[in-house]
Amino acid sequence: MSPDEISEYMVFRLSSSRSPKEVKLLHLEWAVVTQLDGEKSVGEIAGILSLSKSEAKEIFSNLTNEGLLDLVNLSRSEHYLPAEIFDNIEYELTLVMGPVASILLEDVLQEMGKTRDKFDRASLGIMIDFLTNHISNPDKQYQFQKNILSKIKDYILAR
Amino acid sequence: MIAELFKNLLKIEGVEAVAVFSNDNKLLDSWTRSHINSQVFQDLGLNSLQICQAGERSNLILEEVVLKYEKGQLYCRHHPDFLLVVVAKVKVEITLIRLIVNVGLGDYRESRKLQKIVRKVTSGNTNILAKELIDDVEEEYLTKLNILEKTS
């Protein structure tokens, strides 16, 4: 697996067919190995070890190629949001910002490097944060966030 | 208070505990997914309030503090009437916690009843950096930063 094929949402565990002791590992690779529990995602382990995304992907790629890791699954966050949620967001944003809302929403999506049809759940909070920062009136910020939360909570909160 | 203002926090997968403290470090309300010792809650509140107060004395307005540790992260939100502390796993997006907290604080602003209750239990003595609440190392460090005055 190349580093580009590793997603921050992937979850790995140690392979039962090969032990890390059979391979010469670098210090950081050992650090990653000690964090593997079959639950933490690549992104979470990177956060714990203060690794950049590219460093983490490189290390996971090396470990996978050495046959030390098995892919458990993609974490839930990998799932994309339904595109119609953006109609709700655009509607609520229009109520507080007027007709510039749709342009602003597209700008924020572009800034984040995402599109309406491929937007993961984990990034939704960040997008709402960005959009809120464009609303200058605190009362309108509250109104927007309250309305948005009531509409998106089924997608982001456990039932 | 948590059930009224921040109940959505409890529905986030990975949120382990939520606590609300008055600014004089009284535990006003708490919720935990697994058992957490009450002393741990008290220490969390005290340390978070001390961070906010040390910031204030250095002319920093620390409305929000996020601390990461090996098994998770701590999100503290300081309000003039109380301090909210959320303990969550690393995978939880802080922006999601912030969104729910922002909405909860807006609801608090509109609830005179809750404001009355909170203000009633707060004594007003908010010197969380008082000598009896910090140890010698902390005192020396805060003195070096000119946050505390030198004692003879």
Side-chain angles (χ1 to χ4, degrees), chain B residues 81-99:
Chain B
D81 288 350
F82 58 83
L83 174 89
L84 175 79
V85 178
V86 181
V87 183
K89 289 185 178 169
V90 182
K91 67 179 178 185
V92 178
E93 271 294 330
I94 288 296
T95 48
L96 182 56
I97 296 178
R98 183 184 296 132
L99 170 65

Side-chain angles (χ1 to χ4, degrees), chain B residues 96-148:
Chain B
L96 182 56
I97 296 178
R98 183 184 296 132
L99 170 65
I100 293 169
V101 172
N102 284 349
V103 173
L105 292 181
D107 292 345
Y108 177 77
R109 206 169 49 226
E110 295 191 342
S111 169
R112 286 179 156 248
K113 189 183 142 201
L114 270 175
Q115 288 176 25
K116 234 177 172 176
I117 294 169
V118 171
R119 286 172 189 165
K120 214 173 177 179
V121 293
T122 307
S123 71
N125 176 18
T126 55
N127 186 11
I128 291 298
L129 297 176
K131 304 251 182 278
E132 60 272 20
L133 295 174
I134 54 176
D135 60 32
D136 292 345
V137 178
E138 289 168 334
E139 185 180 345
E140 197 188 325
Y141 185 67
L142 291 171
T143 309
K144 264 189 200 164
L145 294 174
N146 293 324
I147 289 171
L148 285 183

Side-chain angles (χ1 to χ4, degrees), chain A residues 98-112:
Chain A
V100 294
S102 61
I103 300 166
L104 181 60
L105 181 57
E106 291 310 321
D107 280 355
V108 167
L109 283 170
Q110 203 178 351
E111 244 175 79
M112 294 175 72

Side-chain angles (χ1 to χ4, degrees), chain A residues 24-77:
Chain A
K24 198 174 175 190
L25 295 179
L26 300 171
H27 176 71
L28 276 176
E29 290 172 333
W30 269 114
V32 167
V33 165
T34 59
Q35 291 294 330
L36 291 168
D37 58 2
E39 286 185 10
K40 288 188 207 119
S41 67
V42 171
E44 286 166 9
I45 292 175
I48 291 168
L49 299 174
S50 302
L51 298 171
S52 68
K53 280 180 189 170
S54 56
E55 279 174 324
K57 286 180 179 184
E58 186 77 43
I59 292 171
F60 273 92
S61 169
N62 292 343
L63 293 173
T64 312
N65 293 338
E66 289 288 356
L68 294 173
L69 305 185
D70 286 338
L71 180 63
V72 176
N73 60 13
L74 299 170
S75 77
R76 265 168 34 113
S77 319

